[in-house]
Amino acid sequence: MPTKTSIQNIGQFLGQSVTLQGWLYNKRSSGKIVFLQLRDGTGTIQCVAVKAELPEEVFQICQSLKQEASLRVTGEVKEDERAQNGYELTVQSVELLHQSDDYPISLKEHGVDFLLDHRHLWIRTPRQRAILKIRSEVLQAMTLFFSENGFTRVDPPILTPTSCEGTSELFHTQYFDEDAYLTQSGQMYMEAAAMALGKVYSMGPTFRAEKSKTRRHLIEFWMIEPEMAFVDHDENMRIQEQFVSYIVQHVLKHCAIELKTVGRDISILQNVQPPFPRMTYDEAIKWLNDNNYEIAWGEDFGAPHETALAAQFDRPVFIERYPTAIKAFYMQPDPDRPEVALCADLLAPEGYGEIIGGSERIHDFALLEKRFEEHQLPKEDYDWYLDLRRYGSVVHSGFGIGLERTVAWICGLEHVREAAAFPRMLYRLKP
RNA sequence: UCCUCGAUAGCUCAGCGGUAGAGCAUCCGGCUGUUAACCGGAGGGUCGUAGGUUCGAAUCCUACUCGGGGAGCCA
């Protein structure tokens, strides 16, 4: 019996007969030879069926296979310079498992609308497979980094009673007789967890009911949110640059084929090493005004501002110490300059925008209580959050990194929607 | 919510006032090294919906529906 294996391991079986199971990606044929492009999720390989070397019925099966038919192929592994990954399979036998009539996604160009309607099939294509593989490796790299650096994973709830930040629109739902909302950030829960476990992180979906319709926005997206006790603003940034560099270098090491499949220029990614450049908000405002952007101190950056700022550098850049007034209520003001907050956004190069938002959190009870009043937040809903400042409060910091934006940047995607298997977008809930 | 672009064959598009077109996909035939293979043939349409202008509308006008891109907001 020939050994069953997968395409990624085919090189170990040179000269031997093996069995592969997968789907027909494409077929090219002439009267007496058929080339089957087989994919099995781990890769793609060309199987060559020669009429003169096969029983008539086997060759007929090869001719009858349609795009995305499932099949089992047995053949001899050969090296071939003409093959794209160096190996070919010379077909000895083929078993048609299930035919595929009228497969909707041909190998020609398609529009976005059509592809998104067929997302459940679109993910079978090599490019989409590669992106999902890289996404998986990004999560794997994050998990490894956290594990190597003493973090504990804590999973905050998805159903929440109130807003975490009070800014974005929330998805409303019912929790029996109460109102409930889908989480837009687990941060406040992670602050509580950091006081219990020291260094913690979460990974999971978040929801924003914003009518956002750009290449950088999804309605449901994954956020990874580390939170660290006894870490101040500067250390927070140092951890972030180590973290992002670790992820990028991990992907470069483990996803060379996938990066090639998506057409990424990896020389840009190779630059992603600490330290990352840092600009203060003040410096950024000055730079923008020196470069023909009109923006006053106190205004938030728009997407074109962020793109222009980030375009100066070959790796992500921190913009730190934004005006307290335009940032979230829980951010620690600079003790020497309370009008700015000890926070930083990390902007990815090449126009991918903000991938991380982070800050040192207010640890002083009286100041946080004052912020609740200023922002007119219902204290009864947040009393547990104030408790964290009542009992052994410590300096702590954290950040949130957007998974799809990070994957889109690493892969060089036009749009974050390709970074999610089934993206939830404005006006698009199916499939 | 605002700005902007679009909707014609299963898919990608052309046609922009005078009888509905191409490439791919599908089906039939040909080809022993193809790389989105190629060559020949065939079938395939309420031109998003509803009104209007006109002798005549896929084409011009109005409204609506659905979608793309962008802004704001954010990761």
Side-chain angles (χ1 to χ4, degrees), chain A residues 186-196 227 330 361-365 368 372 382-396:
Chain A
Q187 184 205 311
M188 297 171 83
Y189 296 100
M190 298 312 289
E191 287 185 57
M195 300 305 139
E227 195 71 33
Y330 52 72
R361 325 301 194 188
I362 291 173
H363 60 273
D364 180 69
F365 180 87
L368 190 60
F372 274 97
Y382 292 96
D383 208 43
W384 66 268
Y385 187 63
L386 283 162
D387 264 0
L388 307 177
R389 281 76 179 170
R390 281 193 182 100
Y391 308 112
S393 189
V394 301
V395 168
H396 64 290

Side-chain angles (χ1 to χ4, degrees), chain A residues 154-157 160-167 183-196 200 202 206 223 225-227 328-331 361-362 368 372 377-389 396 398-399:
Chain A
V154 173
D155 303 316
T160 61
T162 49
S163 162
C164 278
E165 302 183 12
T167 50
T183 183
Q184 61 159 3
S185 167
Q187 184 205 311
M188 297 171 83
Y189 296 100
M190 298 312 289
E191 287 185 57
M195 300 305 139
V200 295
S202 67
T206 51
M223 193 149 65
E225 296 183 280
E227 195 71 33
F329 72 90
Y330 52 72
M331 291 184 180
R361 325 301 194 188
I362 291 173
L368 190 60
F372 274 97
L377 295 165
K379 242 171 87 177
E380 58 277 14
D381 288 338
Y382 292 96
D383 208 43
W384 66 268
Y385 187 63
L386 283 162
D387 264 0
L388 307 177
R389 281 76 179 170
H396 64 290
F399 61 95

Side-chain angles (χ1 to χ4, degrees), chain A residues 70-324:
Chain A
S70 51
L71 61 149
R72 193 173 286 135
V73 189
T74 298
E76 187 186 340
V77 181
K78 288 184 176 167
E79 264 182 317
D80 195 307
E81 284 180 6
R82 292 165 295 191
Q84 285 179 338
N85 59 356
Y87 298 101
E88 263 187 3
L89 199 75
T90 302
V91 173
Q92 293 161 336
S93 69
V94 171
E95 186 182 347
L96 173 60
L97 302 175
H98 187 238
Q99 188 57 282
S100 167
D101 291 314
D102 301 319
Y103 188 71
I105 304 184
S106 68
L107 298 176
K108 293 282 177 176
E109 290 173 16
H110 296 286
V112 173
D113 193 36
F114 174 81
L115 288 171
L116 285 172
D117 283 342
H118 295 83
R119 182 62 174 166
H120 52 295
L121 302 175
W122 187 20
I123 54 177
R124 297 186 183 193
T125 59
R127 177 181 165 82
Q128 298 306 313
R129 186 206 81 91
I131 294 166
L132 292 176
K133 195 80 188 166
I134 289 168
R135 175 185 166 119
S136 172
E137 280 303 327
V138 166
L139 284 166
Q140 174 71 2
M142 290 174 169
T143 303
L144 286 170
F145 178 90
F146 290 133
S147 176
E148 288 167 12
N149 288 279
F151 285 73
T152 301
R153 175 165 172 164
V154 173
D155 303 316
I158 287 170
L159 290 168
T160 61
T162 49
S163 162
C164 278
E165 302 183 12
T167 50
S168 300
E169 292 292 324
L170 298 172
F171 275 101
H172 177 252
T173 185
Q174 284 300 121
Y175 195 78
F176 304 109
D177 294 334
E178 292 179 69
D179 288 321
Y181 302 90
L182 300 186
T183 183
Q184 61 159 3
S185 167
Q187 184 205 311
M188 297 171 83
Y189 296 100
M190 298 312 289
E191 287 185 57
M195 300 305 139
L197 294 145
K199 289 192 277 187
V200 295
Y201 71 99
S202 67
M203 297 181 151
T206 51
F207 306 87
R208 305 271 165 96
E210 295 280 352
K211 304 253 179 188
S212 297
K213 253 181 81 160
T214 81
R215 70 183 70 188
R216 299 181 307 280
H217 290 89
L218 295 174
I219 303 301
E220 174 182 334
F221 65 98
W222 270 50
M223 193 149 65
I224 290 81
E225 296 183 280
E227 195 71 33
M228 301 152 286
F230 306 107
V231 166
D232 65 11
H233 169 63
D234 287 320
E235 190 177 356
N236 192 22
M237 286 195 294
R238 285 197 296 276
I239 291 165
Q240 288 172 44
E241 66 193 3
Q242 295 287 342
F243 178 64
V244 170
S245 302
Y246 185 97
I247 294 163
V248 171
Q249 297 308 318
H250 177 98
V251 171
L252 281 170
K253 187 175 168 190
H254 292 91
C255 299
I257 292 169
E258 286 77 13
L259 288 167
K260 193 179 169 195
T261 301
V262 300
R264 187 56 159 132
D265 178 357
I266 59 167
S267 65
I268 296 167
L269 296 177
Q270 282 161 346
N271 295 328
V272 181
Q273 300 276 7
F276 293 171
R278 288 160 167 71
M279 281 181 104
T280 63
Y281 173 87
D282 296 359
E283 289 164 347
I285 289 288
K286 182 173 186 309
W287 185 89
L288 286 169
N289 280 293
D290 289 347
N291 287 274
N292 298 318
Y293 291 90
E294 278 190 29
I295 181 167
W297 198 96
E299 287 181 64
D300 208 351
F301 302 128
H305 300 129
E306 289 188 350
T307 301
L309 286 166
Q312 305 171 77
F313 305 101
D314 67 347
R315 63 198 75 190
V317 56
F318 286 111
I319 310 292
E320 57 168 325
R321 293 168 201 255
Y322 285 73
T324 311

